[in-house]
Amino acid sequence: MSRLRINAAFEGGNIEVVALERADDIQLRIRPDAGGQFYQWFYYRLVGAQGCDCRMRLVNAAGASYPQGWEDYRAVASYDRQSWFRVPTRYQQGELIIDHRPEQNSVYYAYFAPYSWERHQDRLAQLQHAAGVRVDSLGSTLDGRELDLLQIGAPADNRLRIWVTARQHPGETMAEWLMEGLIDRLVDATDPVVSALLERAVFYLVPNMNPDGSVRGHLRTNAQGVNLNRQWQAPSLARSPEVYRVLERMQQTGVDLYLDIHGDETLPYNFVAGCGANPGFSARIEALETAFMTALLQQSPDFQNRYGYTVDEFGEETLTLASNQVGQRFDCLSLTLELPFKDNAQRPDSRYGWSPQRSQHLGRALLGPMLSLLDRLR
């Protein structure tokens, strides 16, 4: 066996080495986000352990942001960073323990399949050549990256405005995988659902709300350690320019339907959270929420509406969240869609668990419910 090496000095990487003398007792720590309040995302490369029974102990797992998220969780691994499969993982005595015998000399491990900033940029460069697509920037992040906006469809006074944002929390990479599936379907000129939607609506899409946190390997915060999904009541250019710029553009365009895409560390289900705790919540909005969920149940067996958050889950923070603030401000259907880090307990997959591919399929499935509600959004 060659000398063991672990490295996370790449985009999105996150791990610190505590001990690396033996393959069967590798000790690691997850590095906290800027500000030190949050951590759970990890992503690193192991070299030199081909054919060895490796035991990797994330020794500070008990202090993670959501330690209950480790229960029944399995890490993902990849040899080529294209195909990510689940490996045996257990939470024991405050440590997350990953047991794996690598078949290759170089292997990557992560909390969920990463979605790279490079892939994000490549996708946008390709999409600007598609008919009806405009690639724009809302401004710069604190680290100087572009906050990208995709406009699909032609704006007009009588057209509905549909907004979708993803990855306010950068470690929730399944959110951008979902966006990729949604966008791929929206640029398919042969899809009759898409044609019908674009005849009456224009889409505004922010595939990655938190580029800085994504590149830095954060779980929940931007470059300044700010949780963007608690900034929507009073964002600032100094601390949360990402939210400030998106909300500024929303004020210019108006919003008739909004979805904010996230990942949930603890619940092994796909579910939505609505605006039932908003002061302005009405029977009209309640009916729209029910209709959207009913339609999505018909479109995707991976979706369910039995398990999720309670109406008062976020208490006094309610209007600081994106979907609640947008729903209140624009009196529109506004939902948070949560995807699992674990497997989908309804339809488990022993090899891949919940995956990028299934996230993409769920993204495609969102267009059917949107179409079914067009006549009721205003």
Side-chain angles (χ1 to χ4, degrees):
M1 182 183 73
S2 58
R3 189 168 76 88
L4 295 173
R5 291 184 59 83
I6 282 185
N7 190 287
F10 46 78
E11 178 201 309
N14 184 327
I15 209 69
E16 297 172 351
V17 176
V18 177
L20 193 57
E21 286 77 30
R22 294 164 33 199
D24 63 354
D25 189 27
I26 297 170
Q27 298 176 39
L28 308 169
R29 291 177 56 87
I30 304 173
R31 185 186 70 247
D33 293 3
Q37 184 178 359
F38 301 103
Y39 70 87
Q40 194 132 358
W41 170 264
F42 60 88
Y43 178 23
Y44 60 92
R45 179 189 182 195
L46 170 64
V47 179
Q50 183 176 9
C52 297
D53 291 320
C54 296
R55 175 161 296 170
M56 292 160 278
R57 298 163 47 202
L58 279 62
V59 298
N60 63 339
S65 300
Y66 302 95
Q68 64 272 36
W70 301 131
E71 301 293 343
D72 300 320
Y73 164 79
R74 290 181 296 150
V76 297
S78 178
Y79 299 114
D80 58 8
R81 297 204 294 180
Q82 301 297 315
S83 175
W84 293 85
F85 54 91
R86 301 281 175 161
V87 292
T89 309
R90 54 200 163 92
Y91 183 53
Q92 181 177 306
Q93 296 180 334
E95 297 182 344
L96 188 74
I97 301 171
I98 302 170
D99 292 305
H100 186 223
R101 185 182 179 90
E103 297 176 0
Q104 305 293 334
N105 201 47
S106 173
V107 57
Y108 291 83
Y109 299 94
Y111 187 31
F112 193 83
Y115 194 106
S116 72
W117 181 240
E118 192 68 22
R119 184 183 183 101
H120 169 98
Q121 293 175 299
D122 285 344
R123 293 284 300 160
L124 264 63
Q126 296 159 5
L127 286 164
Q128 67 183 347
H129 301 293
V133 177
R134 176 183 173 86
V135 178
D136 200 357
S137 171
L138 295 172
S140 296
T141 65
L142 294 170
D143 279 345
R145 296 183 177 84
E146 298 299 327
L147 183 62
D148 295 306
L149 172 71
L150 278 175
Q151 177 189 302
I152 301 180
D157 289 342
N158 62 334
R159 293 203 173 186
L160 295 159
R161 289 72 49 95
I162 299 176
W163 275 82
V164 188
T165 59
R167 214 168 166 191
Q168 288 197 75
H169 299 146
E172 297 166 11
T173 54
M174 64 286 290
E176 193 161 5
W177 286 112
L178 178 144
M179 286 291 275
E180 184 171 298
L182 171 66
I183 293 165
D184 282 349
R185 189 176 182 190
L186 275 174
V187 297
D188 182 357
T190 68
D191 190 315
V193 171
V194 170
S195 298
L197 277 167
L198 295 181
E199 286 172 3
R200 301 178 57 190
V202 56
F203 284 77
Y204 298 94
L205 310 168
V206 185
N208 188 337
M209 282 281 297
N210 198 334
D212 295 346
S214 302
V215 173
R216 286 168 172 249
H218 288 181
L219 174 73
R220 288 180 72 80
T221 72
N222 69 0
Q224 194 144 334
V226 173
N227 178 355
L228 296 183
N229 204 30
R230 298 297 185 274
Q231 291 289 301
W232 286 76
Q233 196 163 26
S236 73
L237 287 173
R239 301 185 72 243
S240 51
E242 304 90 346
V243 175
Y244 186 98
R245 293 303 189 194
V246 169
L247 197 51
E248 180 180 54
R249 183 62 65 89
M250 284 179 166
Q251 290 287 169
Q252 295 170 6
T253 65
V255 183
D256 295 296
L257 168 61
Y258 175 52
L259 296 179
D260 187 31
I261 315 301
H262 285 263
D264 186 89
E265 290 81 359
T266 62
L267 294 174
Y269 303 101
N270 293 291
F271 62 95
V272 297
C275 290
N278 279 12
F281 189 66
S282 64
R284 169 181 164 269
I285 298 299
E286 183 177 19
L288 287 172
E289 289 184 358
T290 300
F292 184 91
M293 287 188 283
T294 300
L296 188 52
L297 283 169
Q298 295 169 350
Q299 291 288 322
S300 175
D302 270 330
F303 179 71
Q304 58 82 48
N305 62 353
R306 180 178 179 184
Y307 302 98
Y309 299 147
T310 61
V311 172
D312 59 351
E313 184 86 19
F314 299 100
E316 294 181 356
E317 291 185 319
T318 293
L319 290 181
T320 68
L321 276 68
S323 61
N324 293 91
Q325 179 61 218
V326 171
Q328 179 74 14
R329 188 175 295 218
F330 296 97
D331 190 27
C332 67
L333 174 61
S334 184
L335 298 166
T336 301
L337 174 59
E338 298 277 359
L339 283 61
F341 277 89
K342 303 176 184 180
D343 203 351
N344 180 358
Q346 289 194 136
R347 300 172 60 81
D349 182 326
S350 61
R351 178 159 177 77
Y352 298 106
W354 186 253
S355 66
Q357 293 74 23
R358 293 174 77 181
S359 301
Q360 290 170 328
H361 282 300
L362 186 58
R364 296 183 184 99
L366 294 175
L367 297 187
M370 291 179 182
L371 180 62
S372 71
L373 291 177
L374 288 186
D375 290 330
R376 303 171 58 184
L377 291 178
R378 286 185 183 166

